[in-house]
Amino acid sequence: MTIDYLGSIRSDVDALLAVLERGPLDTRVPSCPEWDLAQLAAHVGRVHGWATTAVSTGSPPAGVPKSPDDPQAAKAFLAENAEALLATLSTVEPNKPAWNFSGSGQTADWWIRRQAHEIAVHRWDAESALGDPSPIAAELAVDGVEEFLTVLAPLRLGGKDGIDIGGSIHLHASDAEGEWTLHTDDGIFRVTKGHSKGDVAVRGPASALVLLLWNRIGPRDAGLEVFGDPAVLDNWRSITTI
């Protein structure tokens, strides 16, 4: 199935802006405890501006766009940068050379995928602040798990040679096709796809799995089932937390 990344970005931007309209903007965001809603909006706006520059110029951005200090202006800042991002991503050739921070996949389509997952998680953050988060669509969430494990986790583990989480972790999506097993055998992180056994297994909706990987929810939250040695999962989460 082909994922409509641009449509997903648009939908989640609109949903996030709707949360900001409901406010209040000083509402704390439990999944990002250092931020309130205005600060979350400013962060997303900065990321959108940064990604737009990377795609349009093809080069590393010189800096992060400055966000306004006024909380009320954060909504307009986010909306403006989201529109610029969507305009850029919707017209760029997917194979256009474009720098990104991963060191691989240096084309514009990397950013299209990354921004879809970025806004999906932050839309969930914003909605959770008001107590009514909607899950991430299953197909997008499966792709989000895949992106986290194959693109972002290796970056987070950079410089951590010899890592050992004490076993293997099997993730199993219950509402879409998606199974992965994480290993740190001989201090080397690797991921295998498909059904297998792990020292600990986590089963649940794909949305819950990707939110777990991003440490938005815990393994004991509703919707997830954990079988086996939970210490292995705790070890993994401790080393991949920013």
Side-chain angles (χ1 to χ4, degrees):
M1 175 179 291
T2 300
I3 298 173
D4 180 8
Y5 292 121
L6 292 175
S8 182
I9 293 172
R10 165 57 68 192
S11 176
D12 283 327
V13 165
D14 289 346
L16 176 50
L17 289 171
V19 171
L20 299 177
E21 287 297 324
R22 292 163 60 193
L25 293 177
D26 61 356
T27 301
R28 304 308 299 180
V29 181
S31 52
C32 303
E34 69 276 18
W35 290 338
D36 59 21
L37 284 175
Q39 291 165 319
L40 174 63
H43 166 78
V44 175
R46 288 194 301 271
V47 171
H48 284 342
W50 198 67
T52 299
T53 299
V55 173
S56 59
T57 68
S59 302
V64 177
K66 180 174 173 54
S67 57
D69 295 327
D70 178 7
Q72 290 295 327
K75 293 185 291 185
F77 176 76
L78 168 58
E80 178 183 349
N81 281 281
E83 289 303 322
L85 176 69
L86 283 162
T88 298
L89 297 184
S90 63
T91 56
V92 71
E93 289 293 330
N95 292 326
K96 174 186 180 289
W99 170 90
N100 71 66
F101 56 80
S102 74
S104 62
Q106 304 286 299
T107 51
D109 56 354
W110 188 96
W111 281 107
I112 296 172
R113 182 192 197 197
R114 173 84 288 278
Q115 289 305 292
H117 294 305
E118 176 84 9
I119 188 61
V121 172
H122 284 318
R123 183 272 304 163
W124 185 93
D125 289 330
E127 291 180 345
S128 70
L130 300 188
D132 57 352
S134 299
I136 297 170
E139 293 80 7
L140 183 68
V142 165
D143 189 62
V145 172
E146 181 79 10
E147 185 212 34
F148 187 96
L149 295 178
T150 62
V151 178
L152 301 177
L155 293 176
R156 293 189 176 200
L157 298 177
K160 297 181 179 179
D161 294 337
I163 194 167
D164 182 6
I165 60 174
S168 57
I169 303 171
H170 182 69
L171 304 176
H172 186 164
S174 60
D175 58 346
E177 292 292 328
E179 294 188 63
W180 307 263
T181 303
L182 292 58
H183 310 264
T184 54
D185 303 331
D186 300 320
I188 300 173
F189 170 69
R190 63 187 178 90
V191 178
T192 56
K193 295 182 66 173
H195 184 70
S196 67
K197 297 292 185 180
D199 293 294
V200 63
V202 185
R203 185 179 186 277
S207 177
L209 292 180
V210 75
L211 292 170
L212 175 69
L213 289 174
W214 281 104
N215 284 318
R216 266 34 187 199
I217 64 174
R220 295 164 186 82
D221 284 15
L224 290 174
E225 298 177 285
V226 179
F227 310 94
D229 185 357
V232 178
L233 181 60
D234 291 341
N235 290 340
W236 165 259
R237 297 183 72 220
S238 70
I239 65 172
T240 55
T241 298
I242 294 179

